[in-house]
């Protein structure tokens, strides 16, 4: 993949135009593009044989593929990546698309969860794909933490926030916990949390554990670390991922194998796996990111593409993300500005509600 920019730079105008038209034709119609189709409106007068020779060269470079011996060409994953990175022209979202998103977000209600649920539905409807919305964590300062043992392998952590919000989260404690070790862990945490959010407590406790490791019982330390894993990981992910528009992918005509891959994708999403990684994908860079096929470690089995963008709060801190999943044959030029516009709008609305 590292040679892709060099390949594009070394291509002459004719090869670049053939490549671009093959990709654009495939993204629009979903069928292989043949040489005769390209000659009809090519920028220079060339024969179909000349076009075929160029297409063969592009196939040799790994940018195009021929699904059948007598068929035209389609872009490979590497070809799609090169097109997206080097040739894709992205403008502003269509006015009609903007109006549909704006209409969904026009409510003045303060319920952020309801707002983001509508965002997911609107994004799915506008893009005709499946939408993902990762909702923000509750980031108010914490007032009090309490651990409650429910059974030998099940415990409850009660989080009381300064704004009155209360959350109860189940987690599996390390083996050997006692009421005494749980009280010690709670006392340790409560001495640190005043005025701090969950994210701030996480980093503070990691430092405290490192410097005061000898001061707390080893079982209590295990409980603290286990509890933190729950708060920053599995425990707060249960309702954080909103998925809408599954039927947009499942209802499309396609091979049985492809539909089965998409079903596995949504089975994974419904089990809420890899949500932390989803946010990490968005946090690795500003703006919209595009993952094509196996580049996407979350959804590689589905043969799909993910277009995702983070959104930020008033402090310019990334707190969530919005994205669209579809086949690799996405209309990237249209989807990217829609996702980007939606992410910016969500960030503004959440900041205004804060």
């Amino acid at each position: 993949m590292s040679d892709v920019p060099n390949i594009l730079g070394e291509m002459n105008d004719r090869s670049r135009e053939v490549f671009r038209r093959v990709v654009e034709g495939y993204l629009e119609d979903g069928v292989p593009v043949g040489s005769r189709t390209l000659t009809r409106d090519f920028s220079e007068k060339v024969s179909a044989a000349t076009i075929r020779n160029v297409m063969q060269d592009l196939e040799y470079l790994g940018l195009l593929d021929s699904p059948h011996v007598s068929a035209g060409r389609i872009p490979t994953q590497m070809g799609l990546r090169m097109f997206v990175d080097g040739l894709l022209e992205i403008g502003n979202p269509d006015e009609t698309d903007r109006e549909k998103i704006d209409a969904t977000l026009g409510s003045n209600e303060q319920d952020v969860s309801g707002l983001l649920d509508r965002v997911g539905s609107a994004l799915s409807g506008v893009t005709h794909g499946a939408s993902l919305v990762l909702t923000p964590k509750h980031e108010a300062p914490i007032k009090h933490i309490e651990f409650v043992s429910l059974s030998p392998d099940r415990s409850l952590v009660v989080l009381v926030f300064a704004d009155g919000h209360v959350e109860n989260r189940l987690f599996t404690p390390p083996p050997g916990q006692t009421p005494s070790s749980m009280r010690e862990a709670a006392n340790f945490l409560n001495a640190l949390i005043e005025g701090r959010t969950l994210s701030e407590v996480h980093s503070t406790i990691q430092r405290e554990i490192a410097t005061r490791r000898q001061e707390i019982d080893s079982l209590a330390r295990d409980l603290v670390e286990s509890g933190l894993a729950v708060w920053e990981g599995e425990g707060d992910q249960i309702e954080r991922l909103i998925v809408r528009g599954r039927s947009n992918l499942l209802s499309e005509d396609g091979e049985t194998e492809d539909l089965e891959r998409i079903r596995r994708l949504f089975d994974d999403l419904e089990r809420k796996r890899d949500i932390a990684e989803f946010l990490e994908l968005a946090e690795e860079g500003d703006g919209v990111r595009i993952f094509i096929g196996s580049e996407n470690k979350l959804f590689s089995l589905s043969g799909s593409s993910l277009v995702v963008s983070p959104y930020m709060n008033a402090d310019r801190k990334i707190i969530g993300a919005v994205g669209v999943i579809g086949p690799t044959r996405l209309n990237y030029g249209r989807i990217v500005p829609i996702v980007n516009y939606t992410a910016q709008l969500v960030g503004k609305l959440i900041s205004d509600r804060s």
Side-chain angles (χ1 to χ4, degrees):
M1 293 295 291
S2 60
D3 293 332
V4 167
N6 294 331
I7 294 175
L8 183 61
E10 293 172 0
M11 290 168 60
N12 59 34
D13 292 342
R14 177 182 295 171
S15 296
R16 189 179 288 107
E17 182 174 357
V18 168
F19 172 69
R20 179 178 58 80
R21 288 180 179 271
V22 168
V23 177
E24 290 177 345
Y26 173 73
L27 294 180
E28 181 176 352
D29 300 324
V31 297
V33 179
S35 56
R36 293 190 180 279
T37 300
L38 295 180
T39 57
R40 293 174 190 154
D41 55 355
F42 206 74
S43 60
E44 57 178 310
K45 187 173 180 60
V46 292
S47 66
T50 299
I51 297 293
R52 281 196 296 273
N53 289 335
V54 175
M55 294 169 78
Q56 288 174 356
D57 292 340
L58 294 171
E59 186 173 355
Y60 176 77
L61 292 173
L63 302 177
L64 300 182
D65 191 20
S66 180
H68 308 289
V69 175
S70 59
R73 302 303 198 280
I74 63 174
T76 62
Q77 179 178 307
M78 186 173 82
L80 282 174
R81 169 50 60 192
M82 191 173 81
F83 174 81
V84 165
D85 288 348
L87 297 176
L88 180 64
E89 297 180 359
I90 299 175
N92 296 318
D94 181 86
E95 183 177 352
T96 302
D97 293 334
R98 286 202 314 269
E99 289 175 352
K100 290 179 180 178
I101 298 294
D102 291 345
T104 304
L105 304 183
S107 172
N108 291 322
E109 71 175 77
Q110 297 299 309
D111 178 18
V112 173
S113 297
L115 167 71
L116 294 179
D117 191 16
R118 293 196 306 277
V119 168
S121 297
L123 196 56
S124 171
V126 168
T127 62
H128 305 293
S131 67
L132 304 179
V133 179
L134 191 64
T135 66
K137 298 176 185 178
H138 195 80
E139 282 293 289
I142 306 169
K143 185 177 180 181
H144 186 74
I145 293 177
E146 200 70 49
F147 292 108
V148 180
S149 177
L150 303 177
S151 68
D153 62 348
R154 208 70 176 149
S155 294
L156 182 74
V157 58
V158 181
L159 305 173
V160 181
F161 294 85
D163 61 0
H165 181 76
V166 178
E167 291 186 16
N168 300 318
R169 300 176 182 177
L170 292 171
F171 70 100
T172 301
Q177 290 302 320
T178 65
S180 175
S181 66
M182 284 196 167
R183 282 196 300 272
E184 188 174 351
N187 291 337
F188 172 79
L189 290 168
N190 284 315
L192 298 173
I193 61 175
E194 185 177 0
R196 293 188 172 98
T197 65
L198 277 178
S199 299
E200 292 167 343
V201 170
H202 179 269
S203 57
T204 299
I205 291 177
Q206 292 302 320
R207 291 194 299 269
E208 289 289 333
I209 288 176
T211 58
R212 298 175 55 189
R213 196 165 285 271
Q214 300 303 317
E215 298 179 29
I216 58 176
D217 176 82
S218 61
L219 288 176
R221 184 179 67 240
D222 290 342
L223 178 61
V224 170
E225 291 175 341
S226 175
L228 282 174
V230 170
W231 303 334
E232 291 294 305
E234 296 176 359
D236 63 350
Q237 293 175 7
I238 300 303
E239 299 300 333
R240 289 195 65 207
L241 187 65
I242 301 172
V243 183
R244 293 291 178 266
R246 169 176 175 165
S247 60
N248 286 337
L249 297 186
L250 292 179
S251 63
E252 289 191 2
D253 294 333
E255 299 294 335
T256 302
E257 182 180 353
D258 293 336
L259 292 178
E260 181 57 33
R261 287 177 177 176
I262 293 173
R263 288 190 179 94
R264 285 202 298 271
L265 156 66
F266 281 101
D267 286 342
D268 286 348
L269 291 175
E270 287 173 355
R271 285 192 293 268
K272 304 299 188 285
R273 295 194 318 200
D274 298 320
I275 298 176
E277 293 186 38
F278 175 69
L279 183 56
E280 287 172 9
L281 290 177
E283 289 180 338
E284 288 172 3
D286 292 334
V288 180
R289 303 196 69 206
I290 302 172
F291 299 88
I292 301 172
S294 60
E295 295 175 0
N296 184 351
K297 60 183 177 180
L298 299 189
F299 311 129
S300 59
L301 287 179
S302 71
S304 59
S305 287
L306 168 68
V307 180
V308 59
S309 178
Y311 59 85
M312 303 179 184
N313 61 14
D315 298 325
R316 303 299 296 169
K317 177 182 177 183
I318 292 175
I319 56 173
V322 298
V324 171
I325 299 177
T328 53
R329 191 180 65 81
L330 274 179
N331 184 345
Y332 296 97
R334 176 173 176 264
I335 301 299
V336 169
I338 291 174
V339 170
N340 182 54
Y341 178 77
T342 305
Q344 292 183 18
L345 197 57
V346 168
K348 181 179 185 303
L349 288 169
I350 289 180
S351 296
D352 290 345
R353 280 164 169 73
S354 301

